[in-house]
Amino acid sequence: MLEEVERWLTDRSWSVADRPLHRILAAKRATGQTVSVVLPALDEEATVGEIVSVIRHDLVLQVPLVDEVVVVDSGSADRTAEVAAAAGARVVHRDTILPRIPAVPGKGEVLWRSLLVTRGDIVCFVDADLREFSSDFVSGIVGPLLTEPDVQLVKAMYDRPLGSAAGQGGRVTELMARPLLNMHWPRLAGFVQPLGGEYAARRSLLEQLPFPVGYGVELGMLVDALHLVGLDALAQVDVGVRVHRHQDGQALGRMAAAIYRTAQLRLARGHLIRPSLTQFERAGDAFEPRTYSVDTEERPPMTEIAEYQARRVA
């Protein structure tokens, strides 16, 4: 490991216990910064309501840390929107945000559009499929942004059990993202959960970043933030254990391919390989190929969007 990374692990890796809520709240009052929490959601009626309820109870009603909780629904076929609204979130449908640019499927697409419908100086992203959710996931990663003026982006780190096996979750992280980062961006090798969906950042940083529309958004954001603001502006906080729904092997394969494609675009914009992945599914006595595009369209920095510029002026 690079000496710079070893130092970073000491200086920029914290525990949620390092910043009690009263200290975080005092920093928020002193700086006057506002906090938005965004949950990107697609068919998450089983979990989204509990997450919203916990955040509102702990960090809006009991302690006024969070100023708005927004669920961006990316086309759910279930009752995600109704459940989220009943729990107290403001629900916005992806397709109603910036309608002049047709929406495409993908988590990064939702996160990018969320910048247009939130106001917080700090934006905190939380996946909507978490179970046994704790508000530490929010306060833990927002805390350093309120108390450390030079920190720009904070990732959550945690254990990820796979069923009853401790620490065996995060298969795409271990098989794809971590090797890529260690080989090509070794200064990012200290991140425990580089692909984790729980992270917070200053709006002033997010609005300058391009957003891969799909699964590559987390890796792309880390790499681009490193280049834009440097390693010492990035941090991570241990928030315990993350329990969520696990995807099957083929879905993980598509995720890995999209992440590789995102990395490739950042390594060499000119020389590109075939951006597709063929997988096989059994159909009776034979295997049938299924080919998926893994081309990672990207949205430009939000500061380049006229509607966002107009909102800032207003």
Side-chain angles (χ1 to χ4, degrees), residues 111-180:
L111 301 185
W112 181 72
R113 289 174 187 263
S114 76
L115 297 181
L116 264 169
V117 293
T118 54
R119 291 284 182 175
D121 302 303
I122 294 169
V123 183
C124 174
F125 298 119
V126 177
D127 281 349
D129 66 341
L130 303 187
R131 303 195 303 273
E132 303 174 23
F133 179 77
S134 166
S135 59
D136 286 349
F137 275 74
V138 174
S139 60
I141 56 180
V142 167
L145 293 165
L146 291 169
T147 61
E148 309 289 335
D150 53 345
V151 171
Q152 296 283 317
L153 183 150
V154 183
K155 297 278 293 189
M157 58 176 166
Y158 33 68
D159 295 318
R160 293 184 65 182
L162 181 60
S164 60
Q168 295 302 306
R171 290 161 288 174
V172 175
T173 293
E174 300 303 330
L175 297 175
M176 176 59 71
R178 201 177 309 285
L180 279 173

Side-chain angles (χ1 to χ4, degrees), residues 1-15 18-19 141 144-145 148 150-158 178 181-182 185-195 198-200 221-223 225-227 229-238:
M1 182 176 290
L2 296 177
E3 183 177 336
E4 180 184 12
V5 176
E6 293 181 349
R7 177 192 55 76
W8 178 85
L9 281 168
T10 299
D11 296 342
R12 287 290 184 261
S13 293
W14 295 296
S15 165
D18 291 335
R19 290 175 180 79
I141 56 180
L145 293 165
E148 309 289 335
D150 53 345
V151 171
Q152 296 283 317
L153 183 150
V154 183
K155 297 278 293 189
M157 58 176 166
Y158 33 68
R178 201 177 309 285
L181 292 175
N182 276 263
W185 297 280
R187 296 170 70 203
L188 296 174
F191 278 94
V192 175
Q193 297 292 352
L195 300 184
E198 290 68 49
Y199 49 98
M221 189 177 295
L222 265 188
V223 171
L226 174 68
H227 291 163
V229 297
L231 182 60
D232 283 341
L234 313 180
Q236 60 185 350
V237 173
D238 187 351

Side-chain angles (χ1 to χ4, degrees), residues 232-308:
D232 283 341
L234 313 180
Q236 60 185 350
V237 173
D238 187 351
V239 296
V241 179
R242 184 183 197 266
V243 181
H244 67 116
R245 181 186 68 250
H246 292 283
Q247 302 196 54
D248 62 37
Q250 292 208 334
L252 295 178
R254 296 190 291 276
M255 185 184 300
I259 289 165
Y260 179 79
R261 172 69 165 165
T262 300
Q264 182 201 31
L265 288 171
R266 280 152 178 78
L267 288 167
R269 295 274 176 177
H271 179 66
L272 302 178
I273 60 174
R274 177 174 172 262
S276 61
L277 173 73
T278 299
Q279 297 177 318
F280 295 88
E281 299 177 5
R282 179 174 288 281
D285 296 330
F287 285 97
E288 292 188 356
R290 299 281 189 274
T291 299
Y292 301 88
S293 171
V294 295
D295 202 10
T296 54
E297 182 178 353
E298 297 194 4
R299 295 305 190 190
M302 190 56 80
T303 51
E304 298 179 10
I305 300 299
E307 288 88 340
Y308 192 79

